[in-house]
Amino acid sequence: MTKLIILAAGRGSRLSKYTSDCPKGMLFFGGKPLLQHQIDIFQECGITDIFIIRGYMKNHINFKNIEYFDNDQFASTNMVESLMCAKEVLTESCIITYSDLVFEKNVAKRLVNSKFDVGVVVDTNFEKYWKARLGEDYLSDMESLVISKDRIIDIGKISPDKSEVHGRYVGALKFSKLGIESLVSCYNKNKLAKSLNSDGSRKFEKWHMTDLLKAMIDEETKVNPILISRGWLEFDTDNDYDLYNKWYNEKIISEFINISHE
């Protein structure tokens, strides 16, 4: 049975206007917390084993019928170490998402139905959303994501050439049992070696998920894109939160994602 693990340990420093008194996954949008959006949508898709990795203001995250792991070192670590706080349940098929995301149901379904050993959600139609969010300089916020023959062959390089951007990494992944075994093996090897990420910019304890994915790719693990076209939002900055609420209140958000106005 596929499990869902939501990474919700970080403070969300670029959302500090709103996260001084709650974790970013508990920010309200469309009438409920961001985390509740994910819980609801995945439960509708049949996922019942749901785990949340908490850290910053962990006592504020307390949903019924959800299991928790805590990264009490959240201030000095990042997503990979947060994920490994749940290592004991990384034994079979697993979906991993970030807490600052809202999805349409069809995106969640693509994850649930993926048959890849390592599947990574990639939006190939992100540019209009990214430009509306960030302005004409939207490419300054991009990282590389190169797809060749239905495989991701590069990911996570900062300030890539536009030719190295075949889509936008969303922050949602699915691993089969075999894929989880590859992930844990890669993690263990790089932790033991105290590896830097591929461009030498981050110590291992600060690795992002894209750093671990790149390390798996470098080990010749097959990583496949799960292709989507919009249908998601990322709440990364104060401006994001203000802008999305403006779109929602003005009922123009459907251009990017279908969110009901209940």
Side-chain angles (χ1 to χ4, degrees):
M1 182 178 293
T2 299
K3 300 169 183 170
L4 169 65
I5 298 176
I6 307 176
L7 305 178
R11 177 172 182 173
S13 58
R14 297 205 291 178
L15 268 163
S16 58
K17 179 179 174 181
Y18 298 105
T19 57
S20 60
D21 57 2
C22 77
K24 63 180 176 178
M26 293 305 295
L27 292 176
F28 267 66
F29 175 70
K32 56 188 175 184
L34 302 183
L35 281 166
Q36 188 70 64
H37 281 277
Q38 285 202 45
I39 291 167
D40 291 348
I41 212 79
F42 279 105
Q43 285 179 336
E44 288 176 19
C45 292
I47 302 297
T48 56
D49 287 350
I50 300 177
F51 304 84
I52 296 178
I53 315 296
R54 304 179 298 187
Y56 174 67
M57 290 193 174
K58 63 185 181 182
N59 293 334
H60 286 242
I61 303 176
N62 188 24
F63 298 95
K64 292 181 180 179
N65 301 317
I66 304 296
E67 296 186 56
Y68 298 94
F69 292 94
D70 295 334
N71 178 8
D72 292 324
Q73 305 301 315
F74 68 88
S76 59
T77 60
N78 212 308
M79 294 176 187
V80 170
E81 290 291 16
S82 288
L83 174 62
M84 289 301 156
C85 291
K87 194 172 183 178
E88 67 187 71
V89 299
L90 292 175
T91 56
E92 53 190 299
S93 177
C94 186
I95 292 168
I96 299 166
T97 66
Y98 300 174
S99 68
D100 60 354
L101 301 173
V102 172
F103 304 120
E104 289 181 358
K105 189 174 181 178
N106 70 84
V107 175
K109 281 184 174 179
R110 294 299 304 277
L111 274 162
V112 172
N113 295 332
S114 171
K115 303 301 182 186
F116 297 130
D117 286 321
V118 182
V120 177
V121 175
V122 176
D123 184 357
T124 57
N125 189 27
F126 70 94
E127 288 196 35
K128 188 173 182 180
Y129 163 42
W130 229 243
K131 189 177 291 187
R133 180 185 176 208
L134 298 170
E136 291 299 323
D137 193 33
Y138 69 100
L139 285 174
S140 65
D141 188 60
M142 293 303 298
E143 296 180 340
S144 65
L145 197 156
V146 180
I147 299 169
S148 178
K149 298 180 181 178
D150 195 35
R151 294 178 66 163
I152 297 174
I153 61 171
D154 185 44
I155 192 169
K157 184 171 73 177
I158 296 171
S159 301
D161 185 82
K162 192 169 183 179
S163 65
E164 299 174 296
V165 180
H166 297 177
R168 176 67 194 183
Y169 171 76
V170 171
L173 314 95
K174 185 181 178 186
F175 297 84
S176 70
K177 185 178 188 296
L178 181 62
I180 282 291
E181 290 172 358
S182 297
L183 180 149
V184 172
S185 173
C186 186
Y187 167 84
N188 287 336
K189 281 186 281 189
N190 283 282
K191 184 177 179 68
L192 183 64
K194 298 181 180 180
S195 302
L196 297 175
N197 66 336
S198 63
D199 67 4
S201 64
R202 273 189 288 274
K203 295 181 179 179
F204 182 77
E205 59 268 22
K206 286 286 192 177
W207 271 24
H208 297 176
M209 283 300 299
T210 50
D211 296 323
L212 187 56
L213 287 169
K214 181 61 166 63
M216 293 175 72
I217 290 167
D218 289 344
E219 290 184 350
E220 299 187 356
T221 299
K222 188 176 181 180
V223 177
N224 296 95
I226 302 172
L227 302 179
I228 65 167
S229 177
R230 301 188 195 167
W232 63 290
L233 297 173
E234 174 189 43
F235 291 74
D236 190 46
T237 66
D238 293 334
N239 182 69
D240 289 340
Y241 190 61
D242 292 338
L243 182 63
Y244 302 159
N245 277 290
K246 179 176 182 290
W247 290 350
Y248 181 83
N249 293 330
E250 294 177 358
K251 298 186 178 182
I252 58 174
I253 202 163
S254 59
E255 187 169 356
F256 304 108
I257 186 172
N258 289 315
I259 297 284
S260 63
H261 287 71
E262 298 177 345

